[in-house]
């Protein structure tokens, strides 16, 4: 009795298998491509993708295969193995971010990074040594802000010019010259910022420095999570191509 019941279950599974396989037999696909789509669809049903997305993906792949197989291209050639295609669907490669579109988020993030560093640096320095000489040598808050902004803006420019995966308008020698000019501009900027009168560029309390650093950390975390930050001075992240 148990053997008959098991045979009946096995037969039902076989019938379901044949029915699912037959769905791809009369769509204009070759035998190999039809078998590939059957196996792919079977794997796809086990994923958590929405039913509409699954159906649209299968329709799109069938259309691509019908066009491609005219030139002798198989599903395996086009998509790799079924497992590889499933992985590509669930974990699609991230599209590269255009430098111009992504410039300001990176500039803002790196400006915040340097603002955090400078505020913590001078906050600790002034907390340890509160002498008048230390206050006279410390950077004022306007200078700190100015330097952080300029350096932060320069960082994406330098990283982009050093990126070997980018199609550059200028050759390596010209890019090296631009990088040197940026560093020279930073040196001039540091000098100019130190000449800003203390009347409009006060050295603030170390606790103010710490408070500004904390606010900047929150802003940097928000920027990092909201945008694709590819130029990360604090913790470099590989650029996704």
């Amino acid at each position: 009795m148990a053997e008959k019941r098991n045979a009946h279950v096995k037969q039902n599974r076989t019938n379901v298998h044949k029915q699912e396989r037959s769905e791809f037999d009369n769509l204009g696909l070759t035998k190999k491509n039809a078998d590939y789509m059957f196996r792919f669809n079977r794997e796809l049903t086990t994923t958590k993708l929405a039913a509409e997305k699954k159906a649209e993906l299968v329709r799109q792949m069938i259309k691509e295969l019908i066009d491609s197989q005219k030139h002798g291209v198989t599903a395996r050639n086009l998509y790799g193995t079924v497992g590889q295609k499933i992985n590509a669907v669930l974990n699609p490669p991230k599209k590269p971010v255009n430098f111009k579109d992504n410039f300001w988020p990176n500039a803002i993030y790196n400006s915040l990074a340097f603002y955090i560093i400078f505020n913590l640096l001078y906050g600790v320095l002034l907390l340890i040594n509160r002498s008048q000489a230390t206050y006279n040598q410390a950077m004022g808050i306007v200078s700190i802000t100015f330097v952080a902004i300029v350096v932060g803006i320069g960082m994406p420019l330098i990283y982009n010019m050093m990126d070997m995966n980018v199609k550059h308008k200028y050759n390596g020698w010209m890019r090296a010259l631009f990088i040197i000019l940026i560093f020279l501009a930073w040196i001039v900027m540091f000098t100019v910022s130190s000449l800003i009168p203390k009347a409009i560029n006060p050295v603030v309390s170390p606790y103010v420095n710490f408070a500004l650093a904390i606010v900047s950390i929150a802003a940097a975390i928000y920027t990092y999570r909201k945008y694709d930050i590819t130029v990360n001075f604090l913790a470099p992240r590989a650029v996704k191509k």
Side-chain angles (χ1 to χ4, degrees):
M1 213 42 198
E3 289 181 4
K4 289 184 179 181
R5 195 180 309 115
N6 290 337
H8 181 67
V9 170
K10 186 176 181 180
Q11 184 178 6
N12 285 341
R13 287 177 180 173
T14 302
N15 291 337
V16 170
H17 180 93
K18 288 181 178 180
Q19 184 178 355
E20 290 177 351
R21 175 67 176 77
S22 65
E23 292 178 8
F24 300 97
D25 285 336
N26 301 312
L27 298 176
L29 296 171
T30 63
K31 186 176 180 181
K32 281 186 177 180
N33 288 345
D35 182 66
Y36 183 99
M37 287 306 304
F38 160 67
R39 290 183 292 110
F40 173 80
N41 187 61
R42 188 171 56 181
E43 290 294 325
L44 190 65
T45 56
T46 64
T47 68
K48 295 181 180 180
L49 285 178
E52 297 81 7
K53 288 186 177 181
K54 292 178 183 177
E56 178 58 30
L57 177 60
V58 170
R59 282 194 296 268
Q60 181 184 352
M61 288 176 65
I62 290 171
K63 183 178 182 302
E64 290 175 348
L65 284 174
I66 291 174
D67 292 337
S68 299
Q69 67 188 15
K70 296 175 185 177
H71 308 287
V73 178
T74 66
R76 178 69 179 265
N77 299 142
L78 197 59
Y79 305 121
T81 65
V82 170
Q84 288 172 334
K85 180 59 179 176
I86 290 291
N87 183 63
V89 170
L90 298 179
N91 305 290
K94 198 167 185 179
K95 294 181 180 179
V97 181
N98 185 280
F99 171 72
K100 292 181 180 178
D101 295 339
N102 203 37
F103 174 79
W104 286 111
N106 277 282
I108 291 170
Y109 178 83
N110 282 276
S111 294
L112 288 168
F114 281 101
Y115 198 62
I116 293 166
I117 292 170
F118 288 137
N119 273 293
L120 289 177
L121 176 65
Y122 283 104
V124 171
L125 180 65
L126 294 171
L127 196 63
I128 294 174
N129 190 344
R130 301 197 179 198
S131 67
Q132 188 61 43
T134 303
Y135 271 83
N136 291 337
Q137 294 174 3
M139 288 178 69
I141 194 61
V142 174
S143 294
I144 290 175
T145 305
F146 177 61
V147 169
I149 291 173
V150 175
V151 175
I153 290 174
M155 290 299 293
L157 295 173
I158 291 176
Y159 271 66
N160 183 66
M161 283 186 281
M162 293 175 64
D163 191 348
M164 294 295 103
N165 296 311
V166 174
K167 185 177 180 180
H168 295 285
K169 183 178 179 181
Y170 301 101
N171 61 35
W173 289 107
M174 286 298 295
R175 297 200 307 275
L177 177 60
F178 290 149
I179 292 172
I180 292 172
L181 290 174
I182 290 174
F183 277 107
L184 290 175
W186 284 351
I187 293 171
V188 172
M189 173 266 304
F190 273 103
T191 303
V192 171
S193 66
S194 66
L195 299 176
I196 301 175
K198 294 294 185 183
I200 58 173
N201 184 30
V203 176
V204 297
S205 162
Y207 299 108
V208 173
N209 287 124
F210 293 143
L212 290 172
I214 291 171
V215 172
S216 299
I217 289 170
I221 292 173
Y222 171 81
T223 305
Y224 185 88
R225 290 179 176 175
K226 184 173 177 62
Y227 300 99
D228 189 4
I229 302 302
T230 54
V231 182
N232 187 344
F233 178 78
L234 292 178
R237 172 197 286 173
V239 179
K240 297 173 183 176
K241 300 293 180 186

